Amino acid sequence: MPAADTGAPTTVGADAVTVPAPVPDARMTPGGPGYRRMSLALFLAGVATFALLYSTQALLPLLSRDFTATASAASWTVSAATGGLALFVLPMSALSERFGRRTVMTASLAVAVTVGLLVPFAPSLGALVALRAVQGAALAGLPASATAYLAEEVRPTALITAIGLFVAGNSVGGMSGRIITGWVAQEWGWRVALGTIGAIAVGCAVAFRLLLPAPRHFRAGSLRPRVLARTVRGHLSDPLLARLYAIGALFMTVFGGVYTMIGYRLTREPFGLPQGIVGSVFLVYLVGTVSASAAGRLVGRLGRRGALYLAGGTTATGLLLSLASSLPPVLLGLVLITAGFFAGHTVASSAVSHTAKRGRAQAAALYQSAYYIGSSTGSTVGAVAFHAGGWAGTVGMGLLAVLGVVTITLAGSRAARAGRQPVAA
């Protein structure tokens, strides 16, 4: 018997058997080298992304007043940004396959924060919408590249936790951006508020680039359109991936519609809240930080589909509570909507990264594209529904989207049961 495992081939008698030594998994894991720096870097990238992307959402009533615009017109400052991201996320993911995740994420943040410093000087609503579209297109390099980076650099057992931290950064960015803009705008106007968010995003971008470890497992891919089209077709034809894309879009339709219109509802009667207080309502995003971070444990107990059912039910309950005419149940409703959305989004996005065995950046990009199409749809359709039926119209749109999530998840459960049935001889 050998005294120690040297990793060398083992031979026995005339029949030599070569047993290769196991190759250790060098990817990052919690507590290991580089994991904390990576987590903080991507957390800050998530903060900058969502703070910039939704920087005008809490300011929509002020934009309507200053530009003499309707809620639907002002909501395009949100829809243009998320729509630009949805359109460009797939091309940006292709660039990340060729030039590297860290390179594309760094360039995207640099362009987005530069535009963020120009946004406060927009002379008209049309110019503001155009700048926001450019900003959203620049930010497209972050979400898909970040999840692909994590899938390549983090061990599979820690992947959902790592993605949960990135999503938690998104929730903190969305919360802080709305709160800061609300209070700053109340004192000094919306232009100063947007300039403040731009300056914060610059600091996050610099820290991100200094902290993020260099990728060790990236392998450059091809930029040929035919190869990219074949990969995209393969992902779209995968039934599980297609269901996950639809679920992400529907969850974000609810979230985009609710948070685009909630400012108009709370500044009107019977609430009549000032702008700073309305911005502080977005503190409920902290609930999203917790639910996104806990999504891994939720999946471990209930399974992926069980977690999606729970997230959908929580969101629907929150929508119904938000119909109340007093502030406490409305705030509780927002808490439940936020918790359900972030849990469902984390479960679906991590399932995409786990399911895709090749072209992970494209798989993640397609999810992000569907997700932000849902955001644009929710912002626009939610505003139309608000004009047509008030807050009840926006809630009705959200309940239809949740019903879609439950229906798609149920179809996935049936498909899974059918796949487990024995095949007759």
Side-chain angles (χ1 to χ4, degrees):
M1 296 179 63
D5 181 9
T6 62
T10 302
T11 60
V12 180
D15 297 326
V17 178
T18 301
V19 181
V23 179
D25 193 339
R27 288 176 290 183
M28 287 183 280
T29 188
Y35 185 86
R36 185 173 296 179
R37 288 180 56 205
M38 177 274 297
S39 298
L40 180 57
L42 290 179
F43 180 86
L44 292 174
V47 169
T49 299
F50 259 50
L52 291 172
L53 193 62
Y54 293 101
S55 57
T56 62
Q57 197 169 55
L59 305 175
L60 293 180
L62 296 180
L63 296 176
S64 292
R65 185 190 67 192
D66 283 7
F67 290 120
T68 318
T70 64
S72 298
S75 71
W76 276 103
T77 61
V78 179
S79 299
T82 54
L85 193 153
L87 288 175
F88 280 85
V89 67
L90 188 58
M92 295 295 278
S93 73
L95 292 177
S96 79
E97 290 280 9
R98 179 67 183 86
F99 299 106
R101 320 298 186 198
R102 189 170 70 159
T103 300
V104 169
M105 286 190 286
T106 301
S108 293
L109 268 181
V111 175
V113 298
T114 301
V115 176
L117 297 176
L118 298 176
V119 161
F121 301 100
S124 65
L125 182 61
L128 179 59
V129 169
L131 285 171
R132 295 281 291 149
V134 173
Q135 193 172 49
L139 288 170
L142 264 297
S145 298
T147 52
Y149 175 95
L150 290 171
E152 292 164 352
E153 304 298 328
V154 176
R155 293 184 188 179
T157 54
L159 180 59
I160 190 170
T161 301
I163 290 179
L165 288 171
F166 176 64
V167 174
N170 292 343
S171 68
V172 169
M175 175 197 68
S176 59
R178 291 165 171 92
I179 293 174
I180 291 170
T181 55
W183 283 106
V184 173
Q186 181 173 301
E187 296 297 328
W188 296 288
W190 64 267
R191 295 183 187 274
V192 176
L194 292 180
T196 303
I197 292 299
I200 292 172
V202 169
C204 289
V206 172
F208 161 80
R209 185 61 181 85
L210 294 175
L211 288 170
L212 189 68
R216 300 175 58 189
H217 303 280
F218 170 73
R219 297 293 180 270
S222 173
L223 273 177
R224 289 180 295 174
R226 184 175 299 177
V227 175
L228 177 62
R230 185 166 60 246
T231 302
V232 170
R233 282 197 303 270
H235 291 327
L236 291 176
S237 62
D238 185 309
L240 175 55
L241 287 176
R243 288 195 295 269
L244 292 171
Y245 297 153
I247 287 170
L250 289 169
F251 266 123
M252 194 54 170
T253 298
V254 180
F255 199 68
V258 166
Y259 276 100
T260 298
M261 289 295 106
I262 192 64
Y264 287 98
R265 188 184 188 214
L266 294 180
T267 54
R268 297 177 180 179
E269 295 300 328
F271 306 107
L273 299 180
Q275 188 64 44
I277 298 297
V278 170
S280 297
V281 167
F282 292 95
L283 276 169
V284 298
Y285 262 54
L286 288 173
V287 177
T289 304
V290 175
S291 65
S293 302
R297 294 191 297 273
L298 191 64
V299 171
R301 292 184 179 183
L302 303 177
R304 184 174 63 237
R305 285 182 291 273
L308 289 173
Y309 285 131
L310 180 60
T314 302
T315 304
T317 303
L319 285 168
L320 294 174
L321 278 175
S322 73
L323 290 168
S325 57
S326 60
L327 193 58
V330 171
L331 294 179
L332 177 59
L334 290 176
V335 166
L336 295 178
I337 292 167
T338 304
F341 161 74
F342 275 104
H345 166 46
T346 303
V347 172
S349 61
S350 60
V352 168
S353 297
H354 178 74
T355 302
K357 303 305 179 186
R358 60 182 183 85
R360 282 195 175 101
Q362 281 74 46
L366 287 170
Y367 176 83
Q368 296 293 336
S369 182
Y371 175 81
Y372 286 108
I373 287 173
S375 177
S376 295
T377 301
S379 298
T380 304
V381 178
V384 173
F386 185 81
H387 276 297
W391 183 250
T394 302
V395 168
M397 179 211 69
L399 289 173
L400 286 175
V402 172
L403 179 62
V405 169
V406 173
T407 302
I408 293 169
T409 306
L410 181 61
S413 299
R414 290 176 175 172
R417 286 196 298 268
R420 288 194 295 266
Q421 291 176 356
V423 180

